[in-house]
Amino acid sequence: MASKSLVTIRPRRASPILVCKKCLSRIDDGKQLRRDLKSELKRRSAAQDRKRPRVVLTGCFGICPKRAVVLASGATLARGEYLLASDSHAAVEVAAILMPDHGT
């Protein structure tokens, strides 16, 4: 019987950005925040010569701020951190934290 081996790969795409769907729908400019975040991630990815990370709408993180959206990435979750963005103007700063500059 053949044994199976474990294979580890590194995708070309950066780790996904997780956004609470419930929080996004509750703030006034939630759609604009999502658009601006995706646009900024695309710009940063082109500068790093990588594919843009996917923006994934998730269920509730259980934090539930009143006037903000909860966001996270693999890097922030590894540190046990979440980001709270209150409007679309925060997209540039959020993208910088969620997708730090790395070499390829």
Side-chain angles (χ1 to χ4, degrees):
M1 188 170 174
S3 66
K4 295 186 180 194
S5 60
L6 178 65
V7 178
T8 302
I9 62 167
R10 292 196 185 272
R12 293 180 302 183
R13 186 180 298 273
S15 65
I17 305 300
L18 307 174
V19 180
C20 177
K21 184 177 177 179
K22 183 177 176 182
C23 292
L24 197 63
S25 67
R26 284 196 320 215
I27 67 167
D28 292 335
D29 61 348
K31 287 183 181 181
Q32 186 64 42
L33 172 63
R34 184 175 177 204
R35 272 194 301 266
D36 290 351
L37 179 62
K38 287 174 80 171
S39 176
E40 182 61 23
L41 291 171
K42 185 176 182 179
R43 188 191 66 75
R44 291 179 138 276
S45 296
Q48 295 178 17
D49 200 28
R50 297 179 72 177
K51 282 188 163 187
R52 177 184 60 81
R54 294 208 184 262
V55 175
V56 179
L57 297 180
T58 66
C60 185
F61 286 108
I63 298 170
C64 302
K66 292 213 181 264
R67 290 175 205 80
V69 177
V70 180
L71 301 109
S73 69
T76 60
L77 289 174
R79 295 188 306 259
E81 298 173 351
Y82 298 89
L83 295 175
L84 302 178
S86 58
D87 59 20
S88 62
H89 303 295
V92 174
E93 187 177 354
V94 166
I97 295 169
L98 294 174
M99 190 183 165
D101 290 327
H102 293 301
T104 45

